[in-house]
Amino acid sequence: MDVPQFHPMSKIVGIDLGTTNSLVAIVDSGIPYVLADSEGQRLTPSVVYFQENGATPVVGRQANRVRVLKPRETVYSIKRFMGRRGNDVGTEETQVAYSVVAEGAGPVAIEIHGRRWTPEEISAEILKKLKADAEAALGETISRAVITVPAYFNDAQRNATIRAGELAGLKVERIVNEPTAAALAYGLDRLKENSKIAVYDLGGGTFDLSILELSQGTFQVLATNGNTRLGGDDVDRAIAEYLLGEIERAGGPTASLSHRTTDLDQLSLLARVREVSESVKIQLSTEPFVDVSLPFLTSTFSFSIRLTREKLEELARPIIERTRGHCLRSLSDAKLRADELDQVILVGGQTRMPLVRRMVSEWFGCVEFHEQRGDLRLGEEYHQAKGPQLNTGVHPDEAVALGAAIQAEILAGGFRHLLLLDVTPLSLGIETFGGLMNPILPRNTTIPVKAGEMFTTAVDNQRSMLIHVLQGERERAQDNWSLGRFEIEFEPAPKGVPRVGVQFEIDANGILHVLARDIKTGHQKIVTMKSAVDVADEEVQRMVEESVEHAFDDLRFRQWTEAKRTAIETLTATRKTMAEYDADLDADYRQQILDGLLGVEAVLEQENRATKTGDPAALKAATARLDEITQALAAHAMDQVMEAMLRKKGVLPASVGPTA
Ligand code: ADP
Ligand code: MG
């Protein structure tokens, strides 16, 4: 006989959906750990191989093995295409071995065997494998997950990640920023109030430096900076180029990574050299030297060489050096000096390389570094020493997944004291008069957050207002990314009378909801900015750099646009008043006003058509002059109005004369 059974709430797993490797982790009885697959492996390469016969795609290590043989059917680094549309993917980004369809405003697709796959469908294949591995390891069905994303991921990219989870049969309970997850894994929530932490994450193909602050048991991301085209792969490539050079010098076959080839011999040579390059690199993280041997590169040529850690460091140093600028920029965005940091944590497989630890330690002036030099011996001195502590306690390639699992446990009701706070990587705002960007949530605002402003019309009898939602740091609306647009209708009224409140709310998943409300009638619209098609994407870094690069021009455009609005208002008001009181003006004064008007118009005419910018100082001066000239006219108009009003109310006699 069936008896009702008690089903506890299903477990929530934490998933690090990485560019190079993905992992799934769980908290069991208070302890987080990464789950292994049936082969005992905890890292799943984020690689998907699509077979000819349409059978279930192969994911992970097996797919990675066929990557060289089946380059057009094997998809790697799909994370780079998540939530992106054709026209914001750069040509160098589509230089992958598989076929990327990146056209117009449509989402990016991958074409294999004549079928188009969206990036979220391909990510879903990776997630399906992680889900199946977790179910096998735990012996129960898994249907809920926390998934991590880079801190700079925009709404479209976060939404695509949520959809990938749904396609894999997972309810995504929360999207968490990778650095925040890493800090959780390190247990840094137990540091003292206001501790500041730098998270240095160097993976296979991406680098991020994020700065977090601990406040009331929650993490805030103060700043984030990085490079989406920099990582361990670059080190592998440098080793491979070096080895290829040595092979050629020794009289062996020649090949180069920078030339595309379809020649099978060349391909297999390149594949062998690349594979050996990564494995040598990994071995040299713990060994002082490695004897590389590549037997039978041709039927008559075998190659061997001894590679020392010193040689590897010589090849890798310039690559690691490139991360330094991003560290500095992140610090300056957070308005911090390195010695104000409490800890620096290392995340990403590539940080296992001792050189990375040394260089990072040196740049941040970490105490562990001084300690190694023997400067410090006593515990007390250690604590008094200036500079952050380099914390390397957690496996760097597992930290993010472990943190995701901890966040999952918090959501499931465990570890109640923790909460997560993240920041907006770029400013969010709306377009206003003259094509200006009006920020509502500045860059690096802690989320979840809600903020708003009131707007009005610039033209009489406007019936609606266009709410054009923008993301970016530029002063001109058109230079920012358009997240979407919608209209809010209201009753026609003279310009400046309608009041529309616009409110931006970012929820805990980093998704933006925009509310516009006509204050008079209470009519409102709420739009969630989730359409992947309408969301442009570029690197945050590029946006910030461009905003610095164009700061001068942008500022001039803003000043001009604002001066122009005042000038046009003044012109219109003056003409109107002049026409109304024309009879009261003597010829001399009329000419003065006309000169003033002409002065303003002359400056306006000098606007450069291409840049829509003129000389803001000259325009302000001309407008001020006109203002000054029309003082008397304005006073006269005011008197007339007052008089008419009082007369209407019967306060004054019908005609005014000297008091009797
Ligand atoms: P991602 O976050 O991009 O998915 P990971 O954090 O898994 O990537 O890092 C992958 C990179 O780390 C690869 O370039 C790999 O070669 C490198 N890596 C892994 N283990 C080591 C090691 N022991 N020493 C040096 N590099 C390593
Ligand atoms: Mg990673």
Side-chain angles (χ1 to χ4, degrees), residues 150-409:
Y152 58 79
F153 254 30
N154 65 22
D155 289 348
Q157 293 167 304
R158 285 165 198 263
N159 277 309
T161 307
I162 292 175
R163 273 200 305 280
E166 285 165 356
L167 289 171
L170 291 169
K171 178 161 187 287
V172 181
E173 301 287 347
R174 182 68 62 91
I175 292 287
V176 177
N177 285 346
E178 288 162 10
T180 310
L184 266 183
Y186 271 91
L188 300 188
D189 50 297
R190 289 188 295 273
L191 290 179
K192 65 177 195 303
E193 181 73 359
N194 296 121
S195 290
K196 297 179 185 66
I197 305 142
V199 182
Y200 180 100
D201 183 349
L202 190 59
T206 58
F207 170 66
D208 295 297
L209 195 286
S210 309
I211 294 176
L212 313 181
E213 178 172 10
L214 187 68
S215 131
Q216 299 177 337
T218 67
F219 290 113
Q220 298 186 35
V221 185
L222 297 183
T224 177
N225 201 290
N227 186 333
T228 53
R229 305 249 131 215
L230 180 60
D233 297 346
D234 297 299
V235 179
D236 301 352
R237 209 169 297 127
I239 302 170
E241 291 288 11
Y242 168 73
L243 289 178
L244 287 167
E246 293 299 305
I247 290 170
E248 191 177 338
R249 264 177 22 139
T254 60
S256 164
L257 290 170
S258 45
H259 295 119
R260 282 209 165 194
T261 174
T262 47
D263 181 79
L264 271 184
D265 286 343
Q266 290 234 329
L267 275 179
S268 101
L269 170 65
L270 290 175
R272 283 180 71 186
V273 170
R274 284 196 88 149
E275 198 180 295
V276 88
S277 298
E278 184 180 8
S279 93
V280 161
K281 174 186 78 176
I282 290 174
Q283 286 178 65
L284 286 175
S285 284
T286 45
E287 309 291 332
F289 62 85
V290 171
D291 287 320
V292 183
S293 130
L294 288 161
F296 297 109
L297 287 179
T298 67
S299 54
T300 55
F301 182 83
S302 293
F303 178 74
S304 65
I305 192 171
R306 171 167 288 191
L307 241 143
T308 60
R309 188 184 284 180
E310 217 179 338
K311 182 70 205 175
L312 168 68
E313 296 189 345
E314 181 191 316
L315 295 169
R317 187 177 286 277
I319 297 162
I320 311 305
E321 191 67 51
R322 288 170 58 201
T323 64
R324 185 182 191 165
H326 300 291
C327 296
L328 295 174
R329 239 165 289 154
S330 220
L331 275 172
S332 96
D333 276 354
K335 301 188 178 60
L336 287 176
R337 293 186 318 266
D339 64 17
E340 292 174 290
L341 294 168
D342 296 273
Q343 295 218 352
V344 177
I345 62 174
L346 298 179
V347 180
Q350 188 56 50
T351 65
R352 287 182 187 256
M353 180 186 256
L355 175 71
V356 175
R357 304 190 165 204
R358 283 208 312 278
M359 289 175 80
V360 173
S361 191
E362 213 177 295
W363 297 337
F364 286 92
C366 292
V367 282
E368 190 196 88
F369 184 67
H370 298 302
E371 205 177 33
Q372 278 170 352
R373 290 193 314 200
D375 290 349
L376 294 164
R377 275 151 293 132
L378 299 171
E380 197 164 324
E381 281 177 70
Y382 180 91
H383 288 297
Q384 281 173 1
K386 273 196 139 231
Q389 183 191 348
L390 187 70
N391 191 339
T392 55
V394 181
H395 289 321
D397 31 23
E398 295 188 353
V400 170
L402 293 174
I406 293 170
Q407 176 61 31
E409 179 70 359

Side-chain angles (χ1 to χ4, degrees), residues 564-605:
K564 194 168 137 184
R565 174 170 50 187
T566 317
I568 291 172
E569 275 168 4
T570 313
L571 283 180
T572 318
T574 307
R575 288 202 193 99
K576 204 172 143 209
T577 320
M578 237 181 125
E580 212 165 317
Y581 300 100
D582 192 52
D584 306 345
L585 303 175
D586 64 53
D588 208 32
Y589 186 43
R590 183 179 301 112
Q591 192 52 49
Q592 271 185 43
I593 301 175
L594 284 174
D595 287 347
L597 285 169
L598 284 172
V600 175
E601 282 164 356
V603 186
L604 280 173
E605 269 160 28

Side-chain angles (χ1 to χ4, degrees), residues 48 64 73 77 234 302 377 400 484 561 606 616 630:
V48 184
N64 212 14
E73 291 94 351
S77 296
D234 297 299
S302 293
R377 275 151 293 132
V400 170
T561 309
Q606 280 162 21
T630 53

